[in-house]
Amino acid sequence: MCGIVGLFLKDKSLEPRLGSMLSEMLISLSDRGPDSAGIAIYGAPSGNEAKITIQSAKPEHDFRNLDAELARAIGTPVNIAVKSTHAVVRTTPDKIDEVREAIQALRPDIRIMGAGDVVEIYKEVGLPEAVVDRFDVRSMTGTHGIGHTRMATESAVTTMGAHPFSTGADQCLVHNGSLSNHNNVRRELIREGMKFETENDTEVAAAYLSSQMAHGKNLGEALEGTLSDLDGFFTFVVGTKNGFGVVRDPIACKPAVMAETDQYVAFGSEYRALTKLPGIDNARVWEPEPATVYFWEH
């Protein structure tokens, strides 16, 4: 019984409030997942910057002098902004792969939460409000975002087991449910060259979508593939650089509700997650259909 939220903004005037609105949506579902929580925020692209969100269990040790060491390793300056156990490393897009490799060589214990031109991912053990406060999510701006509060059922309560899971540039996924064929799918994806950080079934779903999009499918087409290739009960909410998507399995036993206005599209595991959104009283509100893909792109 996890809680999922998502918010895709159509109205640019709401972008300064994205972090605040998404935070309140997630906090409202705290009782659906007391183990861990996470949020992905998609900011506005700068055109000449790429970002890597990293996490450390020993941030004071691992983040100390990391910017200078990375600059020496790749031959160009990098910027690091530390937020508690996480940090955002900023570099130029052409250097992002070099920076990832250098981080792993210089600080093997650091975990990469996500990378891309616009996404930042923050997740930790604890209730949503504690995670929101720790990373000052309410102050963040952006175009869209997704969040998750977890009740672990099949794997340990750890930071790496928290959602969102990111397995491709500017891609991430949150999940309520359980996949029954994730081990077989994981083996197939490993043969394709995909790498995994955990045994979590949700990471497999994220990697499946990344693989499908790497083969030329758009988000909607990739989500369609989950209905035939992934077995189990699932509701997925997915973010990409420009898009936001939702799909439920054919039985659709996990709760879900959506709302759309001229200003936004919103998703929540329960309606209470949507009640404080602007204009919700006049929104089109519906339960997403089973085995039906919904997606929007900027």
Side-chain angles (χ1 to χ4, degrees):
M1 190 181 76
C2 299
I4 306 174
V5 297
L7 188 58
F8 178 87
L9 300 181
K10 303 176 184 179
D11 184 348
K12 285 186 173 295
S13 71
L14 290 179
E15 292 180 7
R17 297 172 55 193
L18 176 69
S20 176
M21 289 191 292
L22 197 61
S23 295
E24 294 310 313
M25 292 171 70
L26 190 61
I27 289 169
S28 74
L29 299 180
S30 295
D31 59 345
R32 293 190 64 87
D35 299 330
S36 58
I39 284 184
I41 297 285
Y42 287 83
S46 68
N48 60 353
E49 180 182 83
K51 299 188 282 189
I52 304 172
T53 311
I54 58 177
Q55 184 270 351
S56 172
K58 303 174 292 181
E60 291 185 2
H61 173 270
D62 285 339
F63 297 157
R64 186 184 304 123
N65 298 323
L66 182 58
D67 51 354
E69 294 180 47
L70 287 174
R72 285 195 295 270
I74 69 169
T76 189
V78 299
N79 177 270
I80 298 181
V82 175
K83 286 189 176 183
S84 185
T85 58
H86 288 46
V88 178
V89 182
R90 289 176 167 81
T91 184
T92 54
D94 62 307
K95 290 287 187 177
I96 194 166
D97 290 335
E98 285 186 60
V99 172
R100 287 186 71 134
E101 292 173 4
I103 290 170
Q104 292 166 342
L106 292 166
R107 302 287 194 277
D109 292 335
I110 280 180
R111 299 298 185 94
I112 293 177
M113 299 288 100
D117 293 338
V118 294
V119 73
E120 296 180 21
I121 297 174
Y122 300 92
K123 58 184 186 178
E124 272 294 0
V125 172
L127 288 167
E129 188 163 15
V131 173
V132 162
D133 290 343
R134 171 178 273 191
F135 301 116
D136 193 23
V137 176
R138 289 184 181 89
S139 70
M140 298 184 70
T141 66
T143 57
H144 56 298
I146 63 177
H148 186 273
T149 184
R150 182 178 183 229
M151 180 177 288
T153 57
E154 296 185 2
S155 56
V157 178
T158 64
T159 300
M160 292 306 293
H163 305 205
F165 279 91
S166 179
T167 55
D170 287 312
Q171 298 170 14
C172 65
L173 175 147
V174 293
H175 170 208
N176 184 19
S178 179
L179 301 181
S180 57
N181 68 333
H182 61 95
N183 286 324
N184 290 337
V185 176
R186 182 185 286 109
R187 283 192 288 269
E188 293 173 6
L189 292 170
I190 288 172
R191 284 195 289 269
E192 287 185 16
M194 297 293 292
K195 296 181 180 179
F196 292 87
E197 296 282 347
T198 74
E199 295 299 315
N200 193 291
D201 60 341
T202 303
E203 187 179 13
V204 173
Y208 170 85
L209 292 176
S210 294
S211 174
Q212 293 292 300
M213 287 186 278
H215 285 90
K217 293 185 179 180
N218 64 27
L219 175 58
E221 292 167 337
L223 288 170
E224 287 281 358
T226 67
L227 297 170
S228 57
D229 294 341
L230 301 182
D231 293 333
F233 303 119
F234 57 83
T235 297
F236 297 139
V237 179
V238 182
T240 66
K241 183 176 181 179
N242 300 311
F244 170 81
V246 174
V247 68
R248 303 170 81 194
D249 68 83
I251 297 175
C253 64
K254 299 300 180 181
V257 61
M258 300 191 72
E260 184 170 15
T261 73
D262 291 339
Q263 292 185 296
Y264 58 79
V265 179
F267 175 96
S269 292
E270 298 180 38
Y271 179 73
R272 57 179 159 146
L274 313 180
T275 57
K276 294 184 180 179
L277 292 173
I280 190 65
D281 290 341
N282 298 314
R284 180 174 77 93
V285 178
W286 77 99
E287 180 180 346
E289 294 290 332
T292 302
V293 170
Y294 301 85
F295 80 104
W296 292 260
E297 290 185 313
H298 286 122

